[in-house]
Amino acid sequence: MSEHRYGPTSVGTVLLDLGAETGALVLYTPEDLAGAEIEISPDIQGAVRTHAAVRTHAAVRTHAAVRTHAAVRARPAPNGTRYAAVYEGLAAGGYTIWRDHDTPAGHITITGGQITSFHWCGQGTLPLTR
């Protein structure tokens, strides 16, 4: 686990490549997560969700899926600085956002050609890597 410290991005420095089958995620966080690397993973088709209320053979959140991560950075904007991690080039479908190695923080659906946003809940809760 290596520690990376990134400075703030400049206004207009994020370029996203969106396509018919690919989209992007902007994950907004509290300022105290600046520099943290937050993992996401695609849902795996054909498995059963562990949640007791859902027992269908649809997509499932799992520890076995390949994860990717992005660092939370300061994102200056005309109306103030926000903190966010940006994930681009994601295949359309469901994804789990991980609070730590074992705990999901949320679930999102990526739609091709679109940007999805998610707001991290809970200040002071650190993700897996920092």
Side-chain angles (χ1 to χ4, degrees):
M1 179 166 52
S2 62
E3 185 171 324
H4 299 282
R5 288 289 174 200
Y6 299 102
T9 57
S10 300
V11 175
T13 60
V14 177
L15 179 65
L16 302 175
D17 185 14
L18 305 174
E21 298 298 322
T22 58
L25 168 64
V26 177
L27 173 59
Y28 294 102
T29 72
E31 181 179 356
D32 64 333
L33 291 181
E37 294 183 359
I38 299 175
E39 294 182 330
I40 65 170
S41 63
D43 291 343
I44 296 177
Q45 297 296 319
V48 178
R49 290 182 192 227
T50 58
H51 190 278
V54 181
R55 295 288 179 205
T56 63
H57 289 283
V60 65
R61 292 166 234 173
T62 180
H63 304 289
V66 175
R67 296 182 183 190
T68 188
H69 66 272
V72 175
R73 297 180 70 178
R75 311 281 177 177
N79 59 348
T81 299
R82 304 217 31 209
Y83 294 83
V86 177
Y87 307 79
E88 60 97 15
L90 299 175
Y95 287 80
T96 298
I97 300 167
W98 294 96
R99 184 169 303 278
D100 57 37
H101 183 71
D102 298 313
T103 312
H107 186 261
I108 51 100
T109 300
I110 297 296
T111 302
Q114 295 184 15
I115 300 168
T116 300
S117 64
F118 181 86
H119 295 267
W120 185 273
C121 293
Q123 265 190 321
T125 305
L126 298 178
L128 174 65
T129 56
R130 186 158 175 87

